[in-house]
């Protein structure tokens, strides 16, 4: 198995609720669970893959990285990645053909600078 290496480091964070504020809104904490080197690229074109899954169709970018069980097992619904100071919601984590060689993480750019507490 070769290492992908890459030109970016993605920090994976997962959301957890930490009580509620005075009017009952949940207080959200973002906890870092790992850092992964890889390649970030724009999703472009209208391939059949984009029409296959609504989450993939909403994606603006994808991130390629080496396979990691910790990353593959994350729930995209409560995950985000911080890459080069930008926040990306994780839309889908794909282990192509279940070969455990690399992961393709579909992301949706949401902007901002993430520091783990917003």
């Amino acid at each position: 198995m070769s290492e992908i290496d890459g030109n970016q480091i993605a920090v994976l964070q997962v959301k957890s609720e930490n009580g509620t504020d005075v009017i009952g809104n949940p207080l959200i904490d973002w906890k870092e669970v790992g850092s992964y080197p890889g390649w970030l690229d724009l999703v472009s074109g209208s391939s059949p893959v984009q029409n296959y899954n609504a989450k993939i169709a909403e994606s603006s970018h994808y991130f390629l990285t080496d396979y990691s069980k910790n990353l593959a097992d994350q729930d995209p619904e409560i995950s985000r990645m911080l890459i080069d100071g930008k926040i990306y919601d994780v839309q889908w984590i794909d282990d192509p053909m279940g070969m455990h060689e690399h992961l393709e993480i579909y992301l949706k750019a949401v902007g901002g600078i993430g520091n783990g507490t917003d």
Side-chain angles (χ1 to χ4, degrees):
M1 183 166 108
S2 65
E3 289 189 29
I4 288 178
D5 195 23
N7 64 348
Q8 300 283 336
I9 299 292
V11 175
L12 179 70
Q13 294 182 329
V14 295
K15 177 173 36 175
S16 65
E17 290 187 17
N18 189 14
T20 57
D21 65 15
V22 293
I23 60 171
N25 294 318
L27 297 173
I28 304 298
D29 283 334
W30 289 98
K31 304 291 183 193
E32 184 176 322
V33 295
S35 295
Y36 305 91
W39 298 96
L40 180 68
D41 201 2
L42 287 168
V43 172
S44 62
S46 57
S47 72
V49 155
Q50 289 182 320
N51 296 324
Y52 176 74
N53 183 308
K55 290 292 186 183
I56 293 174
E58 293 175 10
S59 299
S60 60
H61 294 76
Y62 60 92
F63 187 75
L64 298 175
T65 190
D66 287 317
Y67 179 83
S68 160
K69 182 162 178 39
N70 179 51
L71 181 53
D73 289 345
Q74 292 301 318
D75 179 358
E77 295 292 323
I78 59 168
S79 301
R80 73 180 188 181
M81 289 188 131
L82 308 180
I83 305 171
D84 198 25
K86 296 179 180 71
I87 301 171
Y88 299 86
D89 286 341
V90 175
Q91 300 295 304
W92 188 257
I93 301 171
D94 187 24
D95 174 11
M97 298 178 64
M99 296 182 67
H100 305 331
E101 290 183 358
H102 73 278
L103 294 173
E104 298 173 1
I105 298 124
Y106 290 84
L107 305 168
K108 181 178 181 181
V110 293
I113 304 279
N115 63 9
T117 59
D118 48 27

